């Protein structure tokens, strides 16, 4: 009877915080301190976040605009994931110096490679500025007027906060605009690549193992922050010196046992914890399968090309990784929502909320109005998904989109002439590879468009598939965008007359027709933007306020928004299906079990095999003499947490977060403590690769290590 009661409770209360769920604001961590210490933490909330003293938050950085990193030495050395550093590893690689395939290790500071455009951002402090941001806002004003006042207030508050300093201020909304926090940041722009393992280590298992446990991936890379001699951020210069962080992490080699306390400290990107059943249904049940089917096509063509040569593999590696990441995640997300009956649970909670709200004028109509808004958005969202994943999937259509902007963008003739001339100068580089890439792009262009046409979401091209396919092939072959000489001639001396020729190009015309069909037919663009950017946010702000008013004793965490958060839990395995239990750690033995020289994802480096054969693990072996590789915890993570430090009860670095388990990828929408696990690289494997495999012991010697 007790089990039945618990099941019914979870069925109608999906918004109640589940065990280990939550991405908590560091400044407010005192609310969680007692719970964290009860779970095993031996430090305090002030050890994690304190504006008056150096603390753990000073060792955690935002890596560019989508990952996390952590300082591991007093010389600006930091760790992040291999997949976070992927672009900078590949962009500095050539066929002769292929750092992606063979790895890279700077054996001196002079060998460290500057990474143009890469930033590392440190949080100085944060502040609740809700009252200042909402000054002058009233319940009677329109969303447009409200947004204008808030924007003006944010600009004023931000400017005043960093006046006379080198800091930058960012103000972000929480709980759909019910609260605002300001982040004062220090942004470093001289960041250099220090080390990266070969992809057969850093990406071992590749797309095959992505999101899957057990995992055996050495997913890390190393960078260093440089600054001016006075310690402030500065553009790249040979005069710059390694940055001395206020705090760097102590690295623990003690390892973890199942049920040990851990926490993740990083920058989670986006969650949708409070969305309604309609939003969940559209996203997870309807949109995800469309995305998956269209990306199947792109992945097939690119992977076939990668098998042709090492140069092709290097060329498409980053593109495939980017496409495949979401493709696989969405599959797990949809299956998870269906398994948990997530939509039904949301609907049950909404019925409960509505009963509570019926006698409260502020909240009585919020759910019916949200339902109506999503009913209007639903067909537009499906059309946009097809456009984004089909029309925009090929290089041809992306270039056609640029031509569309040139033709119809609100710019002067002189500006168009200048832009066209600059674009013409870039065509030598593009067309130098077109002979090889063209057939691949043609296949993607035709097959994705055909799938969209079959689903009924494309402008009319005919009734028979063979005829439609022929039209698409002809459009590709005859387009000026696939002919370098014709394109350069047209763009080099661009005039309105030349624009007419471009307007009649079959590829540009096809893009224009598809774009108009999705965005302009029946005024869909205006309808979508009005509802998505004004109506829904306003209603969600009221709905979330109502949720917290309805159950005021619940400690609600705000959705992730790429701001610094703490998530905590424990090392724990899980049961993905009947008669199967996954232990929460993997070892080097598993790499050898997976080895297959005929499958690129499972090629094992000879040096790693030798170290395994001789059991030359040094001080990095566990108590059983095995070489640990990865482990699982129950911490609530998402995209952006890639590269986040995983810390033990004493706040010491024990791992680097890099993924979630496929069975729990629905955690952005709905958390299930039985399935939601984050996958972490064991810091001992990381140091073993640096020291024993790469021979870069000098990097380990920079670190503060405890046994």
């Amino acid at each position: 009877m007790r089990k039945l009661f618990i099941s019914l409770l979870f069925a109608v209360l999906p918004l109640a915080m589940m065990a280990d769920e939550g991405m908590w604001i560091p400044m407010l961590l005192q609310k969680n301190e007692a719970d964290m210490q009860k779970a095993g933490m031996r430090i305090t909330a002030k050890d994690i976040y304190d504006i008056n003293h150096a603390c753990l938050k000073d060792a955690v950085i935002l890596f560019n605009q989508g990952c996390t990193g952590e300082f591991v030495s007093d010389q600006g050395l930091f760790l992040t994931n291999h997949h976070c550093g992927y672009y900078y590893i590949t962009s500095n690689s050539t066929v002769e110096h292929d750092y992606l395939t063979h790895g890279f290790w700077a054996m001196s500071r002079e060998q460290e490679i500057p990474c143009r455009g890469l930033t590392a951002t440190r949080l100085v402090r944060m502040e609740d500025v809700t009252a200042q941001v909402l000054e002058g806002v009233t319940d009677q004003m329109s969303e447009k007027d409200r947004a204008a006042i808030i924007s003006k207030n944010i600009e004023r508050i931000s400017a005043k906060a960093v006046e006379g300093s080198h800091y930058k201020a960012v103000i972000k909304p929480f709980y759909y605009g019910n609260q605002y926090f300001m982040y004062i940041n220090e942004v470093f722009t001289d960041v250099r690549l220090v080390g990266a393992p070969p992809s057969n280590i850093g990406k071992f298992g590749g797309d095959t193992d992505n999101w899957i446990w057990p995992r055996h991936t050495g997913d890390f890379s190393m960078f260093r922050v440089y600054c001016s001699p006075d310690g402030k951020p500065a553009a790249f210069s040979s005069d710059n010196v390694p940055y001395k962080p206020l705090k760097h992490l102590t690295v623990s080699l003690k390892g973890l046992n199942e049920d040990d306390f851990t926490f993740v400290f990083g920058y989670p990107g986006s969650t949708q914890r409070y969305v309604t059943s309609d939003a969940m249904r559209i996203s997870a049940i309807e949109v995800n399968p469309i995305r998956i089917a269209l990306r199947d096509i792109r992945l097939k063509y690119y992977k076939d090309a990668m098998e042709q040569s090492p140069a092709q593999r290097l060329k498409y590696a980053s593109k495939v990784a980017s496409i495949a990441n979401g493709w696989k995640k969405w599959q797990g997300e949809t299956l998870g929502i269906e398994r948990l009956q997530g939509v039904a649970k949301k609907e049950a909670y909404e019925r409960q909320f509505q009963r509570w709200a019926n006698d409260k004028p502020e909240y009585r109509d919020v759910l019916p109005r949200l339902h109506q808004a999503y009913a209007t958005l639903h067909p537009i969202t499906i059309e946009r998904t097809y456009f984004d994943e089909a029309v925009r999937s090929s290089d041809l259509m992306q270039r056609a989109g640029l031509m569309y902007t040139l033709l119809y963008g609100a710019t002067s003739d002189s500006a168009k002439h200048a832009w066209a001339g600059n674009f013409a100068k870039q065509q030598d580089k593009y067309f130098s590879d077109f002979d090889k890439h063209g057939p691949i792009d043609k296949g993607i262009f035709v097959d994705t468009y055909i799938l969209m046409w079959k689903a009924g979401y494309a402008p009319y091209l005919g009734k028979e598939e063979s005829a439609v396919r022929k039209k698409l092939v002809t459009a590709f072959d005859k387009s000026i965008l696939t002919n370098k000489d014709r394109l350069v001639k047209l763009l080099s001396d661009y005039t309105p007359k030349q624009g007419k020729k471009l307007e009649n190009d079959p590829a540009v015309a096809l893009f224009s027709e598809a774009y108009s069909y999705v965005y302009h037919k029946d005024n869909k663009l205006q309808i979508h933007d009005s509802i998505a950017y004004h109506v829904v946010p306003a209603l969600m702000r009221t709905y979330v306020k109502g949720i917290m008013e309805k159950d005021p004793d619940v400690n609600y965490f705000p959705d992730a928004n790429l701001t610094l958060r703490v998530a905590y839990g424990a090392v724990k395995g899980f049961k993905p299906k009947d008669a199967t239990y996954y232990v929460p750690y993997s070892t080097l033995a598993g790499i050898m079990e997976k080895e297959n020289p005929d499958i690129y994802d499972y090629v094992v480096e000879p040096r790693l095999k030798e170290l395994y054969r001789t059991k030359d693990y040094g001080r990095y072996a566990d108590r059983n003499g095995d070489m640990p590789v990865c482990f699982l915890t129950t911490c609530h993570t998402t995209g952006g947490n890639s590269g986040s430090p995983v810390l033990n009860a004493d706040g010491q670095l024990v791992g680097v977060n890099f993924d979630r388990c496929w069975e729990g990828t629905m955690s952005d929408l709905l958390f299930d403590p039985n399935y939601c696990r984050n996958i972490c690289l064991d810091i001992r494997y990381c140091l073993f690769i640096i020291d024993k495999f790469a021979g870069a012991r000098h990097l380990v010697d920079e670190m503060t290590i405890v046994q």
Side-chain angles (χ1 to χ4, degrees):
M1 184 57 129
R2 176 175 169 78
K3 289 183 178 179
L4 175 61
F5 171 76
I6 291 174
S7 297
L8 290 172
L9 178 67
F10 286 164
V12 297
L13 289 176
L15 290 176
M17 298 299 106
M18 306 291 281
D20 301 324
E21 180 183 11
M23 300 174 177
W24 306 101
I25 299 173
M27 190 181 84
L28 305 179
L29 207 58
Q30 290 85 353
K31 293 181 180 180
N32 302 79
E33 184 179 63
D35 186 56
M36 294 174 77
Q37 291 177 339
K38 182 180 178 181
M41 185 175 76
R42 292 187 287 268
I43 59 175
T44 69
K46 277 189 171 292
D47 291 322
I48 297 172
Y49 179 89
D50 188 342
I51 62 172
N52 297 314
H53 302 92
C55 57
L56 291 177
K57 67 97 174 163
D58 295 309
V60 182
I61 55 176
L62 175 64
F63 182 85
N64 235 18
Q65 294 298 315
C67 283
T68 304
E70 56 273 0
F71 288 117
V72 291
S73 88
D74 63 359
Q75 294 295 305
L77 184 69
F78 71 88
L79 289 169
T80 188
N81 285 157
H82 185 271
H83 74 260
C84 293
Y86 205 79
Y87 172 80
Y88 298 98
I89 298 167
T90 56
S91 63
N92 284 296
S93 294
T94 63
V95 173
E96 294 77 20
H97 299 284
D98 186 352
Y99 302 138
L100 181 64
T101 300
H102 304 299
F104 169 78
W105 305 98
M107 294 302 174
S108 67
R109 299 281 169 85
E110 291 73 26
Q111 292 180 0
E112 295 174 358
I113 302 175
C115 297
R116 183 179 180 183
L118 178 56
T119 59
T121 301
R122 179 184 75 89
L123 173 64
V124 177
R125 62 179 176 86
M126 61 181 295
E127 177 184 347
D128 186 336
V129 291
T130 306
Q132 299 97 301
V133 169
L134 297 181
E135 184 178 341
V137 172
T138 67
D139 293 338
Q140 291 72 38
M141 62 179 45
S142 68
E143 276 299 296
K144 183 177 180 181
D145 290 342
R146 184 182 192 276
I149 290 176
I150 288 174
S151 178
K152 186 175 180 179
N153 287 344
I154 286 176
E155 184 178 353
R156 172 178 51 81
I157 298 164
S158 301
K160 184 177 179 181
V162 297
E163 187 177 6
S165 76
H166 66 279
Y167 297 138
K168 298 181 184 297
V170 176
I171 295 177
K172 290 196 175 187
F174 291 74
Y175 304 107
Y176 289 87
N178 283 297
Q179 195 170 14
Y180 288 83
F181 282 91
M182 176 168 65
Y183 292 77
I184 306 300
N185 295 320
E186 190 171 36
V187 182
F188 295 90
T189 56
D190 186 355
V191 183
R192 307 181 193 182
L193 177 63
V194 175
S199 59
N200 287 333
I201 292 175
K203 204 174 182 297
F204 182 80
D207 296 325
T208 308
D209 280 4
N210 193 21
W211 304 99
I212 300 298
W213 184 262
R215 203 67 174 273
H216 300 86
T217 311
D219 195 347
F220 77 93
S221 55
M222 308 181 76
F223 294 81
R224 194 184 305 276
V225 171
Y226 282 76
C227 61
S228 62
D230 63 359
K232 294 180 180 179
F236 171 80
S237 169
S238 58
D239 295 329
N240 286 350
V241 298
Y243 169 66
K244 294 183 179 296
L246 295 175
K247 177 79 173 180
H248 69 275
L249 299 179
T250 296
V251 179
S252 171
L253 300 183
K254 289 180 281 190
L256 296 165
N257 297 313
E258 189 156 11
D259 297 322
D260 279 355
F261 175 85
T262 61
F263 67 100
V264 173
F265 202 4
Y267 286 85
S270 177
T271 57
Q272 302 86 44
R273 178 65 174 81
Y274 303 98
V275 295
T276 64
S277 57
D278 294 305
M280 180 180 283
R281 180 186 298 107
I282 292 170
S283 174
I285 308 302
E286 299 193 36
V287 167
N288 280 356
I290 297 169
R291 291 166 163 172
I292 292 162
L294 287 164
R295 291 196 176 197
D296 279 339
I297 295 169
R298 295 161 69 187
L299 287 170
K300 176 186 179 301
Y301 278 100
Y302 288 134
K303 286 184 175 181
D304 286 348
M306 289 173 71
E307 295 298 323
Q308 302 304 311
S309 70
Q312 289 283 87
R313 178 170 294 282
L314 185 61
K315 176 180 174 61
Y316 293 115
S318 183
K319 188 184 289 285
V320 165
S322 176
I323 296 169
N325 194 54
W327 166 81
K328 199 163 189 175
K329 184 255 189 182
W330 294 323
Q331 295 175 56
E333 181 179 79
T334 296
L335 288 172
I337 293 296
E338 290 175 338
R339 183 186 65 244
L340 292 172
Q341 298 181 312
V343 174
K345 287 181 178 179
K346 286 277 187 181
E347 290 172 336
Y349 177 82
E350 288 160 15
R351 288 192 292 270
Q352 186 189 82
F353 180 91
Q354 190 61 51
R355 287 193 294 271
W356 171 84
N358 278 335
D359 62 350
K360 298 172 179 62
E362 183 178 4
Y363 304 116
R364 184 171 51 216
D365 298 328
V366 67
L367 278 174
R369 291 177 65 192
L370 276 166
H371 179 70
Q372 183 181 17
Y374 279 113
T376 303
L377 283 176
H378 174 241
I380 302 175
T381 302
I382 299 299
E383 288 178 350
R384 285 192 168 193
T385 300
Y386 273 108
F387 184 81
D388 290 341
E389 294 287 344
V391 176
R392 283 186 166 139
S393 66
S394 66
D395 284 359
L396 176 69
M397 284 290 98
Q398 289 173 23
R399 290 163 70 81
L402 292 173
M403 297 302 103
Y404 181 89
T405 302
L406 172 64
L407 287 167
Y408 306 113
T411 57
S412 64
D413 286 345
S414 60
K416 290 182 178 183
H417 179 87
W419 186 92
N422 287 331
F423 191 68
K425 295 174 183 176
Q426 301 170 22
Q427 299 316 299
D428 281 346
K429 182 177 180 181
Y430 177 81
F431 279 96
S432 65
D433 190 51
F434 186 74
D435 287 343
K436 293 180 180 178
H437 181 67
I440 299 168
D441 199 53
K442 181 191 284 188
I444 292 172
F445 163 67
V446 173
D447 287 356
T448 53
Y449 208 100
I450 286 288
L451 195 154
M452 180 175 68
W453 170 80
K454 285 181 176 179
Y457 288 98
Y460 182 78
L461 289 177
K463 293 182 178 180
E464 300 297 328
E465 181 179 341
S466 59
V468 174
R469 186 175 292 275
K470 184 177 180 180
K471 286 182 180 180
L472 294 171
V473 170
T474 300
F476 190 97
D477 291 340
K478 292 190 175 182
S479 173
I480 194 173
L481 301 180
T482 61
N483 187 302
K484 175 189 169 185
D485 293 337
R486 291 176 60 204
L487 180 61
V488 170
K489 183 178 179 181
L490 185 148
L491 294 176
S492 294
D493 190 23
Y494 185 83
T495 64
K497 183 178 180 180
Q498 299 289 67
K500 285 294 183 182
K501 292 182 181 179
L502 196 58
E503 189 176 344
N504 293 325
D505 179 84
V508 176
L510 194 64
F511 180 92
S512 178
E513 190 175 3
Y515 185 87
S516 297
Y517 176 83
V518 170
Y519 287 91
H520 295 306
K521 183 183 178 184
D522 302 324
N523 206 25
K524 283 183 285 191
L525 178 62
Q526 184 175 339
I527 292 170
H528 174 275
D529 289 357
S530 175
I531 295 175
Y533 303 135
H534 298 289
V535 176
V536 168
L539 292 172
M540 284 300 298
R541 185 170 63 249
T542 302
Y543 179 48
V544 171
K545 180 184 175 185
I547 288 171
M548 293 190 287
E549 186 176 318
K550 176 180 175 293
D551 297 297
D553 294 332
V554 175
N555 187 13
Y556 293 100
F557 72 91
D559 272 323
N561 59 359
L562 207 64
T563 56
L564 192 59
R565 305 290 183 91
V566 172
Y568 58 94
V571 177
K572 195 175 290 291
F574 72 106
K575 184 179 179 180
K577 55 188 175 182
D578 184 53
T580 302
Y581 180 76
Y582 284 149
V583 297
Y585 55 85
S586 64
T587 68
L588 186 55
I591 293 177
M592 301 307 154
E593 291 170 359
K594 288 181 176 179
E595 181 187 12
N596 187 334
D598 297 325
I599 300 176
Y600 185 81
D601 286 348
Y602 296 123
V603 173
V604 178
E605 291 287 318
R607 172 63 179 158
L608 190 59
K609 287 194 283 188
E610 176 63 17
L611 290 167
Y612 174 74
R613 186 186 66 80
T614 60
K615 300 295 185 287
D616 185 10
Y617 305 148
R619 58 177 172 165
Y620 310 115
D622 64 18
R623 62 174 59 91
N624 298 318
D626 296 322
M627 185 65 248
V629 176
C630 297
F631 62 93
L632 295 175
T633 85
T634 60
C635 298
H636 191 181
T637 62
T638 188
N641 276 125
S642 292
S644 295
V646 184
L647 303 141
N648 64 14
D650 298 307
Q652 298 165 340
L653 184 66
V654 290
V656 181
N657 183 79
F658 70 91
D659 210 350
R660 285 174 285 168
C661 285
W662 190 65
E663 295 84 354
T665 50
M666 72 289 175
S667 61
D668 288 348
L669 295 162
L670 189 62
F671 191 88
D672 180 1
N674 295 314
Y675 289 91
C676 291
R677 298 289 184 271
N678 60 305
I679 306 176
C680 317
L681 169 68
D682 195 300
I683 197 64
R684 292 171 293 183
Y685 185 60
C686 173
L687 299 187
F688 163 75
I689 293 298
I690 298 169
D691 184 355
K692 292 290 187 175
F693 175 86
R697 178 64 181 267
H698 62 288
L699 298 175
V700 177
D701 289 341
E702 278 192 44
M703 305 177 194
T704 303
I705 296 177
V706 294
Q707 290 290 143

